[in-house]
Amino acid sequence: MWKVFVILGAINAAAAVGFGAFGAHGLEGKLSDRLMEVYQTGVQYHVMHALGLLAIGLTAAYAGGSASLSWSGWLLFAGIIIFSGSLYTMAFTGITWLGAITPIGGTAFIAGWVMLIIAVLKI
């Protein structure tokens, strides 16, 4: 299990850097200031939670896997897809109703961090 989350964390960290660089260099002047803010928020949360996936993987490598750690990792991964993904899509398309989906990803992030707390308390 730990390898899965370290790999997912590394892939997502690399992807977040790519998205950030693309936003800084490829989208400059192409998006409104508001949509650029939306895009950058997606990148920020993407990076933070990629690091969270790495932390979960390393915790599992150190302490052993558990259902709580597994849930934690999958919830953070789902949060990246739903939260950052909806913001990236909104920025590229201008479809603002996608903002209604974003809180689902935020809720997954919160639940993932809570599950990490539970997992560590059980160790």
Side-chain angles (χ1 to χ4, degrees):
M1 174 187 87
W2 69 270
K3 288 181 182 181
V4 170
F5 291 121
V6 170
I7 290 168
L8 282 175
I11 289 169
N12 275 281
V17 171
F19 276 108
F22 179 70
H25 303 290
L27 295 178
E28 188 176 3
K30 293 185 172 84
L31 295 180
S32 69
D33 289 343
R34 174 69 184 122
L35 288 178
M36 195 59 157
E37 283 180 30
V38 166
Y39 185 86
Q40 288 302 324
T41 299
V43 171
Q44 289 173 334
Y45 279 79
H46 195 162
V47 169
M48 284 186 273
H49 292 88
L51 294 174
L53 286 170
L54 289 171
I56 290 164
L58 295 174
T59 300
Y62 172 74
S66 72
S68 299
L69 271 177
S70 185
W71 271 105
S72 177
W74 290 118
L75 285 164
L76 289 192
F77 183 63
I80 290 170
I81 300 300
I82 298 166
F83 185 92
S84 294
S86 67
L87 293 181
Y88 295 148
T89 304
M90 188 172 17
F92 287 132
T93 65
I95 300 171
T96 56
W97 65 262
L98 287 169
I101 296 169
T102 308
I104 297 168
T107 301
F109 285 150
I110 293 166
W113 289 113
V114 169
M115 291 306 294
L116 179 57
I117 293 165
I118 291 167
V120 170
L121 288 173
K122 288 181 176 182
I123 294 172

